Amino acid sequence: MKRLYLDEYHPKSGLVTAQHDQCMPPFPVIDMHAHLGPLLLGENYAEKYDTENLCALLRDMGIERMFSLELLWGEGLARMERKLEASKGMLISVGSVDISRALDADFENLVWRTLRDYKARGMVALKLWKNMTLMGEQFFGKNLRLDDPHYEPIWQACGEVGIPIIIHVADPPCFFEPIDDQNEHYACLSRHPEWSFYRPGMFSFAEHMQMQENVIRDHPNTTFIVAHVGSYAENLQKVAQWMDAYPNMLVDVAARVDQLGRQPYSARAFINRFQDRVLFGTDFEGHFDEARTRSFYHTHYRFFQTRDEYFEHPFPDFLGQWRVCGLGLDQDVLRKLYHDNAVRVFKL
Ligand SMILES: [Zn+2]
């Protein structure tokens, strides 16, 4: 018998059950968490897809509107908006503020100026990313806490002008743990060791969750859509506690079908309970080819709409090395998740 390395093991499931792998949504879908710009596609992102072709393909897959979440402002944002212009409003550009200037004396002014400008131009949200607490070394020589007073103007200004924040905090808990035989994302981290935050000088996962809670609690008039199921899809009981305590907190489900789908009973109960505050996002990347795009959305719809069992989630090459079971959500909940919650929260 041949000894296998872990990355050589690709077992075929012997399970014979219902298969709905061409699933389509019963209503138009708003994907509020996608990336069509430099963050994941690189600086030459504009060459990586044709805007009109992408829209046609997405429309064919049931997508009515899509948000492109990018760390852009100023000329970079203008360039992104020009790239999406041909979509005629279907692809919506969401910008950010330059957090590398958080220690500058005029940061507060910069934030207010930026946010007032965004409001005047009808920007639907502000995108913030994990670099606020994880990549400070390149800007400030050390990491800032999320609840650092220097970031305070962002929370204040967004609350005051009424722009919701879509924020990605930390990463899965095991990205903060040793990459060893106990790490459930070993396969992913061994291929991408640069994704690990297990090193001196980094805040722990637990510290991140505390900082995140502090910021949400201390700014009740600011709306926080915390990406990736509140940063903690592994612990829906904890996320539910926050959702109960902080009505200004919402979550999206982007890139966490792997986590939700290995706890389908808990996930279904969670989405039903917070059905007005869970938003459909996917982490779609604009450079996916047609086949990948189609199977990506089919898998999402299959997950939320059917009770198919033990199938591959949308990011099998990284994230969880396991299969998932569908949630089979009711139609009224599905409509809120796919569409109505986003319309209400982002005033579309
Ligand atoms: Zn994302």
Side-chain angles (χ1 to χ4, degrees):
M1 187 174 50
K2 190 188 170 202
R3 293 273 298 182
L4 292 175
Y5 288 101
L6 199 54
D7 59 1
E8 295 173 326
Y9 183 57
H10 308 290
K12 282 187 188 164
S13 169
L15 189 69
V16 181
T17 55
Q19 302 287 321
H20 301 91
D21 49 12
Q22 301 289 312
C23 200
M24 286 295 288
F27 334 101
V29 170
I30 298 172
D31 184 345
M32 53 64 69
H33 190 145
H35 300 287
L36 306 177
L39 187 61
L40 298 185
L41 277 58
E43 276 308 317
N44 60 341
Y45 67 87
E47 298 155 28
K48 299 201 172 164
Y49 61 92
D50 176 87
T51 303
E52 285 179 27
N53 289 347
L54 176 62
C55 286
L57 175 58
L58 290 173
R59 218 172 282 123
D60 201 41
M61 291 310 299
I63 304 292
E64 179 188 86
R65 269 171 287 195
M66 171 181 276
F67 289 9
S68 175
L69 309 183
E70 293 291 331
L71 303 182
L72 293 173
W73 46 85
E75 180 45 38
L77 183 63
R79 187 177 154 232
M80 184 80 240
E81 285 167 350
R82 287 196 294 276
K83 174 65 182 167
L84 301 185
E85 216 157 55
S87 81
K88 300 190 171 64
M90 178 182 177
L91 307 178
I92 299 171
S93 176
V94 173
S96 190
V97 284
D98 185 359
I99 62 124
S100 73
R101 296 180 55 186
L103 301 191
D104 292 3
D106 68 341
F107 184 65
E108 185 163 2
N109 283 331
L110 172 78
V111 169
W112 280 92
R113 228 184 310 123
T114 306
L115 267 299
R116 287 199 178 106
D117 173 55
Y118 285 172
K119 186 67 185 177
R121 297 200 285 128
M123 179 85 79
V124 294
L126 184 81
K127 162 70 173 176
L128 295 172
W129 201 48
K130 59 186 174 182
N131 61 352
M132 293 181 78
T133 55
L134 290 169
M135 300 170 195
E137 207 130 304
Q138 52 181 302
F139 310 135
F140 322 118
K142 61 161 187 166
N143 283 315
L144 290 192
R145 294 177 58 85
L146 195 66
D147 52 8
D148 188 287
H150 290 96
Y151 288 143
E152 184 66 26
I154 304 175
W155 324 127
Q156 296 271 354
C158 283
E160 186 111 356
V161 304
I163 289 188
I165 295 171
I166 301 171
I167 186 166
H168 171 165
V169 178
D171 255 338
C174 54
F175 284 28
F176 296 81
E177 291 159 14
I179 308 174
D180 61 12
D181 58 330
Q182 304 276 305
N183 193 308
E184 67 174 354
H185 278 336
Y186 176 86
C188 156
L189 290 169
S190 62
R191 253 176 284 146
H192 296 281
E194 73 280 8
W195 292 358
S196 172
F197 299 114
Y198 181 71
R199 56 179 184 271
M202 307 304 284
F203 298 116
S204 68
F205 182 79
E207 286 172 310
H208 274 95
M209 294 305 96
Q210 189 57 58
M211 298 187 283
Q212 171 178 298
E213 180 174 2
N214 294 346
V215 168
I216 295 170
R217 182 197 58 224
D218 293 346
H219 302 89
N221 298 323
T222 306
T223 299
F224 294 88
I225 297 112
V226 187
H228 310 307
V229 198
S231 318
Y232 205 0
E234 291 82 352
N235 190 342
L236 295 179
Q237 293 185 53
K238 188 73 209 172
V239 182
Q241 280 176 17
W242 295 327
M243 297 282 272
D244 279 333
Y246 313 118
N248 56 324
M249 176 178 178
L250 297 87
V251 300
D252 78 26
V253 294
R256 289 299 178 272
V257 168
D258 66 329
Q259 294 298 337
L260 297 174
R262 67 168 169 170
Q263 46 178 333
Y265 312 120
S266 304
R268 190 171 196 275
F270 178 89
I271 294 176
N272 282 337
R273 180 163 167 213
F274 299 106
Q275 56 186 263
D276 296 308
R277 291 155 66 196
V278 184
L279 301 175
F280 182 78
T282 63
D283 246 341
F284 175 80
E285 300 174 19
H287 54 190
F288 286 174
D289 66 17
E290 178 176 346
R292 171 82 172 113
T293 301
R294 288 188 187 277
S295 79
F296 184 79
Y297 281 105
H298 280 316
T299 307
H300 278 90
Y301 302 147
R302 182 184 193 186
F303 176 66
F304 289 108
Q305 294 168 219
T306 80
R307 297 208 182 178
D308 283 4
E309 292 159 308
Y310 198 67
F311 56 93
E312 210 167 61
H313 62 72
F315 289 105
D317 296 338
F318 58 108
L319 300 180
Q321 300 295 298
W322 52 77
R323 295 183 179 214
V324 296
C325 293
L327 303 187
L329 296 174
D330 295 336
Q331 297 283 299
D332 51 335
V333 176
L334 205 56
R335 188 190 292 274
K336 293 178 182 182
L337 172 75
Y338 278 174
H339 189 270
D340 292 0
N341 289 344
V343 170
R344 185 188 77 248
V345 173
F346 301 112
K347 304 186 176 75
L348 299 177

